[in-house]
Amino acid sequence: MSENRRQILEMLSSGQITADEAERLIAALEKGQPASAAADESHPKTNVKYLRVLVDSEETGKDHGPVKVNVRVPIQLLRAGVRLAGLIPARARDKVNEAFHRQGMEFDVNQIKPENLEELVEQLNDLTVDVDADDGDRNGKVKVRVFCE
Amino acid sequence: MIPFFAKIGLRSLRGMGFRLWIPLFLIWLLLVPIVLLLLPLMFVLWWALQVNPFRALSACWQILSGLSRTHVEVEHDHGSILIHIV
């Protein structure tokens, strides 16, 4: 039990405040205190630093050889990109949304907000995409790995 | 921290290639006076576009800082390319 709560209960027991007043004080205490704690819980610090994309194509054709791609993008860059997206003027955002819609992508640029950023990064923490596929008419396999580290 | 160096590597089909260290800090130093000269113009442009200039500057700086430790490497039979920003 916190010190403040104990004090309120003592004041109630000694008759300094009424039960209603005590209830209001405790409610105010709960409202004020866990705001930061709840924020910390909902947005825990992620230790993800990079988004990695690895592609390993083992195709062996006439004009094609094996391809290896290794990309490491700092999460900080993604954060900055999202912040930059937040600066796009409203009219331009509408045009971007229209262009997405024309391409068949129901994506709303307005939803890219700095508030959602930490949540996005947090979700990236658990992201691992593994694609292991035969490369169609060409001979060989393609392995794609997308993950955070 | 903004990146100070970039390493660029290229290799051709015949196996010939090179790796180049580019001192980005020298480029930043050269760009500073140009940026300072263009800044009033940029402020006017941002004002016209109704964009907070300070937020825009901050975002640009963060993008520049975020480039540090970016690594892109593509290898193929025909050649390879490596970009590493430090």
Side-chain angles (χ1 to χ4, degrees):
Chain A
M1 193 186 295
S2 72
E3 189 59 37
N4 290 336
R5 194 183 288 260
R6 192 185 299 277
Q7 269 182 340
I8 294 167
L9 292 175
E10 280 173 6
M11 284 161 76
L12 177 66
S13 62
S14 63
Q16 286 177 292
I17 54 172
T18 63
D20 281 343
E21 285 171 331
E23 194 182 5
R24 262 182 283 156
L25 281 170
I26 288 171
L29 196 68
E30 280 173 350
K31 210 174 179 180
Q33 238 177 15
S36 56
D40 287 347
E41 271 174 33
S42 62
H43 300 294
K45 283 275 176 191
T46 51
N47 49 10
V48 171
K49 285 187 177 168
Y50 303 103
L51 176 72
R52 293 285 305 273
V53 180
L54 302 175
V55 181
D56 197 352
S57 166
E58 296 165 1
E59 60 183 17
T60 49
K62 202 173 167 184
D63 301 324
H64 306 281
V67 181
K68 283 184 180 177
V69 177
N70 176 8
V71 178
R72 188 179 70 188
V73 183
I75 293 291
Q76 199 61 36
L77 189 61
L78 295 183
R79 283 195 172 107
V82 171
R83 287 205 181 98
L84 196 68
L87 293 174
I88 300 172
R91 268 187 297 171
R93 266 184 260 165
D94 291 341
K95 283 185 181 175
V96 171
N97 283 338
E98 274 176 33
F100 273 128
H101 184 70
R102 276 200 301 273
Q103 296 292 324
M105 287 181 275
E106 294 306 325
F107 186 79
D108 189 1
V109 180
N110 294 314
Q111 295 301 317
I112 305 177
K113 292 174 185 170
E115 300 94 80
N116 303 335
L117 185 64
E118 287 309 314
E119 199 179 340
L120 180 77
V121 172
E122 194 188 319
Q123 298 302 320
L124 283 176
N125 200 5
D126 301 325
L127 175 78
T128 307
V129 180
D130 282 315
V131 181
D132 194 353
D134 286 321
D135 197 11
D137 49 343
R138 298 173 192 164
N139 302 319
K141 281 188 168 184
V142 182
K143 281 183 186 173
V144 181
R145 283 202 73 202
V146 181
F147 60 97
C148 293
E149 60 178 23
Chain B
M1 186 69 85
I2 58 167
F4 288 124
F5 288 96
K7 185 167 78 177
I8 293 179
L10 284 171
R11 186 176 59 80
S12 68
L13 176 65
R14 294 167 194 163
M16 292 168 66
F18 64 89
R19 284 202 171 182
L20 200 65
W21 280 86
I22 299 171
L24 292 177
F25 66 93
L26 290 178
I27 295 172
W28 306 144
L29 280 176
L30 288 170
L31 280 178
V32 164
I34 298 166
V35 170
L36 285 175
L37 280 172
L38 287 178
L39 212 52
L41 199 71
M42 296 299 286
F43 267 76
V44 171
L45 193 72
W46 284 325
W47 177 76
L49 291 170
Q50 294 178 332
V51 173
N52 184 337
F54 298 104
R55 279 183 64 194
L57 272 178
S58 161
C60 290
W61 179 261
Q62 280 169 2
I63 284 195
L64 208 59
S65 309
L67 279 173
S68 281
R69 300 189 182 191
T70 300
H71 181 92
V72 178
E73 194 177 354
V74 181
E75 280 182 41
H76 192 265
D77 269 1
H78 297 211
S80 70
I81 184 164
L82 162 84
I83 299 169
H84 184 75
I85 299 172
V86 188

